[in-house]
Amino acid sequence: MPLVSMRQLLDEAAKGGYGVGAFNVNDMEQIQAIMEAARETRSPVIIQASRGARQFAQDRYLYHLILAASELYPEIPIAMHQDHGNSFETCKSAIELGFTSVMMDGSLKADGKTPSSFEENVEVTRKVVDFAHERGITVEGEIGVLGGVEDGHGAGGSGLDHITDPDQAVEFAERTGVDALAIAIGTSHGAYKFNKKPDGSVLKMDVLIAIHKRLPNTHLVMHGSSSVPKDLQDIINQYGGKLKETWGVPVEEIQLGIRNGVRKVNVDTDNRLAITGAIRKVLWESPEKFDPRDYMKPAREAMQKVVALRMTQFGQAGHAGDYTPVSIADIAKGYKDGSLSTRPLVAAK
Ligand code: 13P
């Protein structure tokens, strides 16, 4: 099956009332792990690459690897997404390369570090939406600023520093016409999200629920959604690693988000932990080994296990065959003739 529009994938998720994991990739083994998990659970998938990943892998490699996945797994709808585009140029280059979806993260300036003004964010996001929709490509925007840093991108600090204001979220969605909206509710990128065991809610779910009430048809996106499971931390530390004690986002909170409009759930760190733990274990137990396949195979299997579990927990499992993909050209026509709306439904306060 050809690569599909993320807009179609998220519209279908909204109809079915489930969330879709968006998993970051840098190399072939990660793509293979996601695709095997998708086949195992019959899930549609979003495969995403950050700017750092595009640089690391040389993005034509990534593009062709994902195309290979679409040939080898014809039953799985795959959206190929640029994670955290920092500028119009980054998003344009992703679209020209063949990505079917881009995130314009205008919550930060183009340096990927300094929080921008609301007007700057609206302006650059709107510009990307105009360029992308003409070509049938989906756009995710961000309002509010996430905590932490991922691949050099991020304002740092706590996820609670710049929580999304629901009124601004409404104005942002109306003025930009984005297909999906990332919001800041206390999550942050990376392994070190919370330094004590969550007792009760760790995220601002009231803010998420307030935004969903005002924008009932807008696809919300949760970044920084790794759960940083203790068992994965333990494997790393058992085999010579030195992770400090840390806690991630409880899956139950993500599931509450999914019941309140979250359709895309970004996960990277959990997979990094699974891969690193598996590699450490092999090299620790068998220091004589030097064939990369001896540790890359268990690493790939460990990531597949995490991804399959998340696909089941987010509810996308079983939905791969629910719909036929609409071509990107027809999606472009839909944006043009208005059959694919870009005006959010706004409910009164
Ligand atoms: P994690 O670091 O929690 O996996 O978040 C990844 C992410 O949000 C990518 O954009």
Side-chain angles (χ1 to χ4, degrees), residues 324-347:
T324 14
V326 177
S327 74
I328 297 296
D330 282 343
I331 295 278
K333 276 191 211 140
Y335 285 128
K336 197 159 179 224
D337 67 22
S339 53
L340 268 182
S341 87
T342 52
R343 293 284 306 162
L345 177 68
V346 180

Side-chain angles (χ1 to χ4, degrees), residues 17-284:
Y18 58 89
V20 183
F23 303 102
N24 289 75
V25 296
N26 302 279
D27 59 32
M28 178 181 76
E29 287 79 2
Q30 289 179 306
I31 295 169
Q32 291 173 326
I34 295 169
M35 294 315 299
E36 278 300 300
R39 174 163 284 168
E40 182 192 328
T41 60
R42 297 190 302 113
S43 298
V45 290
I46 300 166
I47 301 182
Q48 59 186 10
S50 66
R51 266 188 306 144
R54 286 178 62 190
Q55 251 170 19
F56 170 79
Q58 218 297 0
D59 50 14
R60 289 204 71 75
Y61 278 116
L62 282 184
Y63 175 66
H64 285 283
L65 286 168
I66 296 171
L67 274 194
S70 72
E71 283 173 28
L72 291 167
Y73 299 80
E75 78 281 19
I76 306 292
I78 308 171
M80 180 176 176
H81 177 75
Q82 161 82 57
D83 191 22
H84 291 286
N86 63 318
S87 64
F88 174 77
E89 287 69 31
T90 299
C91 294
K92 182 169 178 274
S93 72
I95 293 167
E96 286 169 348
L97 184 66
F99 283 60
T100 59
S101 178
V102 292
M103 173 186 196
M104 177 60 235
D105 179 0
S107 71
L108 300 176
K109 291 181 187 279
D111 66 4
K113 291 181 173 53
T114 318
S116 63
S117 71
F118 179 72
E119 287 302 325
E120 284 171 316
N121 190 356
V122 168
E123 191 186 326
V124 68
T125 306
R126 178 78 240 175
K127 191 172 165 194
V128 171
V129 168
D130 288 342
F131 183 84
H133 282 184
E134 214 180 302
R135 292 158 179 78
I137 303 304
T138 310
V139 181
E140 172 186 339
E142 176 170 323
I143 183 76
V145 183
L146 294 158
V149 179
E150 189 194 26
D151 280 357
H153 183 101
S158 149
L160 296 169
D161 290 346
H162 304 275
I163 296 293
T164 305
D165 167 46
D167 288 332
Q168 273 200 346
V170 171
E171 188 181 339
F172 184 79
E174 284 185 308
R175 286 177 60 191
T176 59
V178 288
D179 302 282
L181 184 61
I183 56 171
I185 50 165
T187 60
S188 50
H189 292 125
Y192 298 102
K193 300 183 194 302
F194 306 108
N195 54 16
K196 61 177 181 8
K197 192 173 166 40
D199 50 355
S201 176
V202 287
L203 299 180
K204 296 269 173 210
M205 296 311 288
D206 52 330
V207 173
L208 184 143
I209 291 167
I211 296 170
H212 178 54
K213 278 209 175 109
R214 300 287 308 283
L215 293 169
N217 289 353
T218 297
H219 305 313
L220 301 180
V221 182
M222 266 174 82
H223 280 248
S225 293
S226 277
S227 299
V228 196
K230 173 109 174 47
D231 57 333
L232 296 183
Q233 297 179 44
D234 287 348
I235 294 174
I236 291 180
N237 287 341
Q238 186 183 343
Y239 297 104
K242 281 200 166 62
L243 291 178
K244 286 179 279 176
E245 200 166 38
T246 179
W247 286 269
V249 178
V251 169
E252 303 72 51
E253 293 207 30
I254 298 170
Q255 290 169 331
L256 176 61
I258 291 169
R259 289 197 293 280
N260 288 280
V262 170
R263 297 294 157 232
K264 175 172 181 276
V265 187
N266 284 17
V267 174
D268 186 4
T269 297
D270 285 352
N271 293 325
R272 293 177 173 194
L273 294 172
I275 289 169
T276 300
I279 292 174
R280 277 194 172 279
K281 183 170 190 292
V282 173
L283 296 181
W284 181 274

